[in-house]
Amino acid sequence: MPTITLRVNRKNHTVECANSSLLVDVLREQLRLTGTHVGCDTSQCGACTVHVDGHSVKSCTMLAVEAQDAEITTIEGLADGNTLHPMQAAFQECHGLQCGFCTSGMVMSTTELVSRNPDPSEPEIRHWLEGNLCRCTGYHNIVRAVQTCARGSRGGTP
Amino acid sequence: MSSAQGIGASIKRKEDRRFLLGKGQYTDDITLPDQSYAVLIRSPYAAALIKKIDAAAALAAPGVLAVLTGDDVAADGLGGIPCGWAVKNKDGSNMVEPPHPGLAHGKARHVGDPVAMVVASSKALAKAAAKLVDIDYDVLPGCGRLPEATAEGAPLVWDQAPGNVCFDWHIGDAALTDAAFAKAAHVVELDLVNNRVAPNAMEPRAANGHYAAANDHYTLYTTSQNPHLTRLLLAAFTLHVSEHKLRVIAPDVGGGFGSKIFHYAEELLVLWASRRVGRPVKWTADRSEAFISDAHGRDHISKAQLAMDKDGKFLGLRVHTLANMGAYLSTFAPAVPTYLYATLLSGPYDFPAIYAEVKAIFTNTVAVDAYRGAGRPEATYLLERLVEKAARETGIDRVELRRRNLIQPSQFPYQTQVALQYDIGDYQATLDLALAKIDYAGYAQRHAASAANGKLRGIGMSTYIEACGIAPSALVGALGARAGLYEAANVRIHPTGSVTVFTGTHSHGQGHETTFAQLIADRLGVSTDNVEIVHGDTDRIPFGMGTYGSRSASVGGSAIVKALDKIVDKGKKIAAHLLEASVADIEFRDGAYRVVGTDRQKAFGEVAFAAYVPHNYPIDTVEPGLEESAFYDPKNFTFPGGTHFVEVEIDPETGVVEVVDVAIADDVGVIINPMIVDGQAHGGLAQGIGQALYEEVQYDADGQLSNGSYMTYCMPRAADLPMFKVGNHVTACTHNPLGVKGVGEVGAIGVPPAVINAVLDALAPLGVKDISMPATPEKVWRAIAAAKQGKGA
């Protein structure tokens, strides 16, 4: 099996993996970064969303070998030490998670939204979440969390 | 301490941090030393004889440890998966209860029926080897849906079940109901389908079994809502290993919605395989595997008749329902269309007569069992579609017709004609609150505005009731349950005053680690930061029946309160000694024991410390330590209820239904954490709207599944839903110590008929009279097109 180097959460990792290995499987099984989840097998649910060079990517749609030379961030790499990222804090503040399984994908996806669009409207948020399924929250509090984080990032009271 | 952290406070969830940091630990996240992996080979046919399984090539493939089949299951003497509830036929005879081996033996009975299991040193190798197993099937005719399964000459799923009938059951008084219909001024009739849906918790099921030969001990990590029940069934029925050698851990579980209540074959298989191969064995479902192996929900066909007098007062209800069981009886399957469905048919209404017949039918499909609401959504959908039709046919306003028939507050406790006795409620209050929240009076204006935009607007409602907190053990036992349904709790006060609570309920999103900690804060005055709630591990928790049917607060919370009462009482004796007072003069309030009428007091922490450092202590009469256990058996179901309103806009050109407003008012009893309660309502609403507009498991006539993935099964997405307006009106449950009722299911129960009633309201001017769930754009477009051609729909 080829050996590749992946840069994940600001650290280099050298792993052996098949050419056919999905990024998500290498993250979970070899790097033991199990905060990235697998909720489907058709790239619909978004539970496996990570950042690749700052863009949210479903890590089940990318081969590990494709991710060489990229800067990968998983949910484990988002917080600043013990301080939650503002999106993580907003999800807690707004009760934007219940079982927690879709949460890492939701947080990784919406952080990119807010970095692109600091003032997303409710329809923009809902449209952006097209690729992320949640079965617990009805999305209501996820939308509120994104609005809250965005408000905070614009300098308002989060 | 009720204010900041106690009952009624929307404190933030204690469990959130680990999930937000990616540090949750779900079953598939757990990899044990020397881990091996299992892949199940499942029948691609709805019905087929398994003629031969040739595993030679697979066994020779790299990394393969075992290929196991139904023959091996039989040879090793594993027990069949049991059904936990036995329903009697009308004549008192037993239901047909077919065998359910862990791996199909001789015959596969649905697409997804597990036929063989490959165990290998990696998941990739197991998958590759599974492709090498050569299975020779003889395909048989199957029946995938209720109409085909009940047709004359239908293929039989089980030879011992003629007509594919599992049971033919009834409830209520047929003669009384006939008499009510004989004097009716108006009878409303409706045929209904309650569509089959897949629960789709975002975490697919998984199980990791580990047999330790050194001490002959088994450990199972599993995606379960009730690990103790799983252990009980493994011990008594399937693995035949007694409880003291068996530990079941349900760690973080990514949603359940009922589908993770049941004891599934894979839980047995991984433990058994681990014993055989000498390594831990992990199985994790793919999503497409989940569609063909998780128990589904709903799937009823019903005929309903409502008898009314000339003023619209309900006189009687007659219901005939066919309920799909699937090919095998899942753990609680027979209870769902009977004691959780037909017993709810009185709804929130004063019905003098009801008679319901339910025929449960086997089909060549995966099992059907409890899914969020479990029977109660089916009852509510039937009743609220029927009441809406009655309003339309009689010309009585939909709100007024309901008002005339709602049970009045003065009528509680209210004995229904279908066994249940409601303890308390105020259905008028929730109706009034919902009317205000939807701005019912302003509807005409909104309708006109939609019309000006070329949209058809409709409003729909439902007034509903449900039964939660299942239930007095003696009652469910009399009705056929093969388990008691109490709950257990252990409260351990540590020497420095912090608290660990061990609860037999299980949290898979509901927030028990927070809500139950609030009970401790409320009762003992201990900060929730100093409380830890432990659940999901049979080695740590005394016992438990798990979480389903919105029972955690009403049954599990009550067990905790009972244990807390014992703690407080014991503390009184210790405090009396320390304060040199009589026990009768000690009161416990705001986290301190006080001598009544004086300023002398001891903080709870001081008493706890004394219990563990008993130097100055009533040692002759009081044992050291401060830890108490309690079991709580509920006295009745609890009965949440309320009113749900939905407004939709329909694009007549495309048939697309947009849910533009949802406003609900529920009475879920006393609320411990309003933030969490609202969140539960939101989630239930999304699933209910999903059933009404998007979701349907589609089997063809022969039993082939045509939409078993997220490419083809439509899950509700963020853009499909609006913000929800949620209100509460509280009447406290009369028979549990917290006054709580339950909130986990109300959204999924109340809203589906409100959605469809809104769609029909929007389409009524075109002459459309009926539409079935899910009201997809195609169905709506066809109904509009047919109506335009003057055919009606």
Side-chain angles (χ1 to χ4, degrees):
Chain A
M1 277 196 283
T3 298
I4 62 169
T5 299
L6 291 176
R7 185 164 173 78
V8 183
N9 300 336
R10 299 172 292 281
K11 278 188 199 153
N12 290 330
H13 301 266
T14 301
V15 293
E16 263 188 22
C17 70
N19 285 330
S20 59
S21 293
L22 300 175
L23 177 59
V24 65
D25 291 333
V26 172
L27 291 172
R28 284 182 56 79
E29 304 295 335
Q30 294 188 254
L31 304 186
R32 303 301 305 151
L33 293 168
T34 55
T36 300
H37 298 146
V38 180
C40 76
D41 44 12
T42 52
S43 298
Q44 307 285 305
C45 81
C48 65
T49 305
V50 299
H51 288 177
V52 177
D53 290 332
H55 295 288
S56 58
V57 167
K58 291 178 180 178
S59 58
C60 73
T61 62
M62 191 170 198
L63 298 172
V65 293
E66 289 180 280
Q68 294 181 91
D69 309 320
E71 189 75 37
I72 299 163
T73 306
T74 70
I75 189 73
E76 290 92 343
L78 198 62
D80 180 6
N82 277 328
T83 306
L84 296 179
H85 181 280
M87 188 63 78
Q88 292 169 316
F91 267 67
Q92 176 162 41
E93 176 65 27
C94 298
H95 189 30
L97 67 155
Q98 291 182 24
C99 81
F101 196 80
C102 77
T103 306
S104 35
M106 287 286 177
V107 168
M108 298 310 284
S109 175
T110 53
T111 47
E112 191 198 359
L113 167 64
V114 173
S115 72
R116 284 190 191 198
N117 176 358
D119 189 13
S121 66
E122 184 196 327
E124 284 171 336
I125 295 168
R126 289 183 181 276
H127 180 72
W128 177 268
L129 289 174
E130 198 266 342
N132 289 81
L133 292 175
C134 171
R135 195 58 154 170
C136 292
T137 64
Y139 306 98
H140 180 110
N141 284 338
I142 292 176
V143 172
R144 284 182 55 233
V146 178
Q147 290 170 324
T148 299
C149 176
R151 201 156 49 238
S153 72
R154 298 195 306 273
T157 311
Chain B
M1 177 89 186
S2 56
S3 54
Q5 293 191 320
I7 292 172
S10 285
I11 66 168
K12 303 309 164 206
R13 296 203 320 169
K14 289 163 66 71
E15 47 271 82
D16 283 352
R17 196 173 167 83
R18 69 173 183 271
F19 296 132
L20 287 163
L21 291 169
K23 302 288 187 195
Q25 198 170 48
Y26 301 87
T27 299
D28 186 59
D29 299 342
I30 295 163
T31 297
L32 300 170
D34 210 22
Q35 184 75 61
S36 70
Y37 297 82
V39 166
L40 284 160
I41 303 174
R42 298 178 182 277
S43 171
Y45 305 111
L49 293 176
I50 304 162
K51 301 192 68 171
K52 192 177 157 211
I53 301 175
D54 181 355
L59 284 165
V64 172
L65 302 169
V67 178
L68 301 168
T69 68
D71 284 344
D72 300 312
V73 167
D76 281 8
L78 299 183
I81 312 294
C83 179
W85 202 300
V87 167
K88 301 270 190 197
N89 290 304
K90 285 174 183 167
D91 64 6
S93 60
N94 293 326
M95 67 180 188
V96 176
E97 199 170 349
H100 185 185
L103 289 170
H105 198 214
K107 189 174 177 183
R109 287 182 164 82
H110 67 86
V111 171
D113 206 355
V115 174
M117 179 164 78
V118 177
V119 184
S121 56
S122 81
K123 192 167 182 179
L125 291 172
K127 276 187 177 176
K131 295 195 177 105
L132 302 174
V133 178
D134 187 16
I135 302 174
D136 186 10
Y137 291 102
D138 198 349
V139 180
L140 302 169
C143 40
R145 302 182 299 215
L146 286 168
E148 288 84 12
T150 51
E152 191 71 28
L156 293 184
V157 181
W158 297 97
D159 293 341
Q160 60 269 49
N164 288 315
V165 177
C166 172
F167 59 78
D168 184 6
W169 173 92
H170 66 161
I171 193 169
D173 189 325
L176 189 69
T177 306
D178 288 346
F181 275 81
K183 64 180 180 189
H186 192 85
V187 172
V188 185
E189 299 188 330
L190 187 59
D191 289 349
L192 282 172
V193 173
N194 203 290
N195 47 323
R196 181 174 182 131
V197 292
N200 275 309
M202 290 315 301
E203 179 203 24
R205 284 191 303 112
N208 193 348
H210 179 211
Y211 172 67
N215 56 359
D216 190 30
H217 199 284
Y218 296 77
T219 303
L220 173 69
Y221 296 87
T222 180
T223 51
S224 175
Q225 298 178 215
N226 43 5
H228 285 86
L229 185 65
T230 301
R231 187 184 63 166
L232 174 62
L233 297 179
L234 281 164
F237 296 98
T238 61
L239 189 64
H240 300 137
V241 168
S242 84
E243 285 97 329
H244 69 296
K245 290 288 183 190
L246 190 49
R247 179 182 190 182
V248 178
I249 300 170
D252 288 326
V253 173
F257 315 114
S259 68
K260 294 171 180 168
I261 297 171
F262 324 119
H263 179 27
Y264 285 95
E266 296 86 357
E267 295 171 321
L268 165 68
L269 296 175
V270 294
L271 287 169
W272 168 61
S274 175
R275 185 175 72 202
R276 288 189 55 129
V277 305
R279 293 170 62 169
V281 176
K282 177 156 74 173
W283 166 82
T284 304
D286 294 334
R287 178 58 57 187
S288 44
E289 194 176 7
F291 272 100
I292 56 174
S293 68
D294 293 359
H296 293 167
R298 319 290 191 247
D299 206 346
H300 286 192
I301 296 179
S302 295
K303 284 186 180 298
Q305 296 174 304
L306 171 66
M308 307 159 77
D309 73 9
K310 63 178 177 25
D311 300 320
K313 176 75 188 73
F314 299 162
L315 300 176
L317 177 70
R318 199 186 275 140
V319 175
H320 177 81
T321 293
L322 294 175
N324 196 340
M325 294 281 101
Y328 300 99
L329 291 179
S330 175
T331 309
F332 287 122
V336 175
T338 52
Y339 297 107
L340 295 175
Y341 163 69
T343 52
L344 272 295
L345 284 170
S346 194
Y349 305 116
D350 183 14
F351 264 108
I354 299 175
Y355 179 65
E357 297 173 292
V358 178
K359 217 181 252 191
I361 304 296
F362 291 115
T363 58
N364 291 108
T365 65
V366 73
V368 181
D369 204 329
Y371 165 61
R372 200 170 197 165
R376 292 149 287 170
E378 295 92 311
T380 303
Y381 183 68
L382 178 142
L383 203 49
E384 291 305 298
R385 286 285 313 273
L386 195 58
V387 169
E388 195 71 16
K389 192 173 184 196
R392 203 163 282 283
E393 287 187 2
T394 59
I396 302 171
D397 172 76
R398 58 171 77 87
V399 176
E400 173 58 25
L401 179 63
R402 287 173 168 92
R403 276 198 202 282
R404 284 183 200 174
N405 289 284
L406 289 176
I407 297 162
Q408 299 299 310
S410 60
Q411 290 177 275
F412 293 102
Y414 177 83
Q415 179 62 52
T416 71
Q417 297 297 310
V418 277
L420 297 178
Q421 190 187 71
Y422 305 160
D423 63 330
I424 194 168
D426 188 344
Y427 308 137
Q428 288 76 11
T430 43
L431 172 57
D432 288 337
L433 182 56
L435 285 164
K437 289 193 93 67
I438 196 75
D439 180 22
Y440 195 67
Y443 176 70
Q445 252 183 329
R446 297 193 293 277
H447 183 270
S450 296
N453 287 327
K455 298 284 178 68
L456 303 165
R457 195 177 186 107
I459 188 167
M461 69 179 296
S462 79
T463 43
Y464 75 94
I465 183 159
E466 65 153 324
C468 294
I470 188 169
S473 293
L475 171 68
V476 296
L479 301 180
R482 291 163 168 162
L485 288 171
Y486 48 82
E487 198 43 78
N490 173 268
V491 177
R492 181 176 299 165
I493 311 296
H494 300 291
T496 58
S498 63
V499 183
T500 305
V501 177
F502 301 86
T503 172
T505 63
H506 185 275
S507 184
H508 29 280
Q510 296 89 340
H512 296 171
E513 290 169 43
T514 305
T515 306
F516 288 161
Q518 290 181 257
L519 297 183
I520 312 306
D522 202 84
R523 292 288 165 126
L524 301 183
V526 175
S527 164
T528 54
D529 293 340
N530 292 325
V531 180
E532 182 154 286
I533 307 298
V534 177
H535 60 91
D537 184 344
T538 61
D539 266 15
R540 297 188 71 190
I541 295 140
F543 201 70
M545 296 309 296
T547 287
Y548 39 83
S550 308
R551 70 191 294 277
S552 293
S554 63
V555 191
S558 295
I560 293 172
V561 167
K562 250 183 102 175
L564 286 172
D565 287 345
K566 294 184 190 179
I567 295 274
V568 168
D569 282 350
K570 182 171 179 180
K572 267 187 191 170
K573 293 175 191 160
I574 302 167
H577 177 89
L578 296 174
L579 292 164
E580 296 175 340
S582 150
V583 174
D585 291 337
I586 302 289
E587 63 168 3
F588 183 69
R589 170 161 63 80
D590 300 332
Y593 289 96
R594 300 160 201 274
V595 181
V596 178
T598 75
D599 60 357
R600 291 159 58 213
Q601 64 175 57
K602 286 281 176 193
F604 179 73
E606 293 177 88
V607 170
F609 191 77
Y612 286 96
V613 187
H615 296 162
N616 174 19
Y617 197 80
I619 200 76
D620 293 337
T621 54
V622 182
E623 292 174 18
L626 200 50
E627 172 171 343
E628 296 288 351
S629 291
F631 282 65
Y632 176 81
D633 200 71
K635 297 182 176 70
N636 190 358
F637 286 92
T638 65
F639 297 100
T643 298
H644 290 187
F645 272 104
V646 169
E647 286 186 27
V648 300
E649 267 191 349
I650 297 174
D651 182 335
E653 300 302 319
T654 64
V656 169
V657 177
E658 186 186 352
V659 178
V660 291
D661 208 356
V662 177
I664 69 172
D666 299 317
D667 176 359
V668 300
V670 169
I671 292 171
I672 299 170
N673 184 317
M675 175 192 82
I676 287 176
V677 162
D678 285 356
Q680 289 292 307
H682 298 160
L685 288 169
Q687 283 174 282
I689 293 167
Q691 183 182 15
L693 293 180
Y694 307 114
E695 299 180 43
E696 182 173 41
V697 174
Q698 293 171 338
Y699 281 100
D700 70 12
D702 301 326
Q704 265 301 333
L705 179 64
S706 60
N707 64 339
S709 85
Y710 284 162
M711 301 288 280
T712 46
Y713 183 93
C714 186
M715 292 276 282
R717 288 165 195 269
D720 298 326
L721 301 167
M723 301 305 275
F724 304 122
K725 296 168 183 162
V726 177
N728 283 283
H729 173 88
V730 174
T731 64
C733 173
T734 60
H735 57 77
N736 67 50
L738 288 165
V740 295
K741 295 183 183 175
V743 68
E745 299 159 291
V746 293
I749 291 168
V751 91
V755 173
I756 297 298
N757 287 339
V759 169
L760 289 174
D761 184 54
L763 299 179
L766 304 179
V768 175
K769 292 194 168 65
D770 189 24
I771 203 150
S772 62
M773 297 194 291
T776 58
E778 181 190 342
K779 262 190 218 167
V780 172
W781 186 88
R782 284 183 188 280
I784 294 170
K788 277 183 182 163
Q789 289 169 13
K791 293 180 192 164

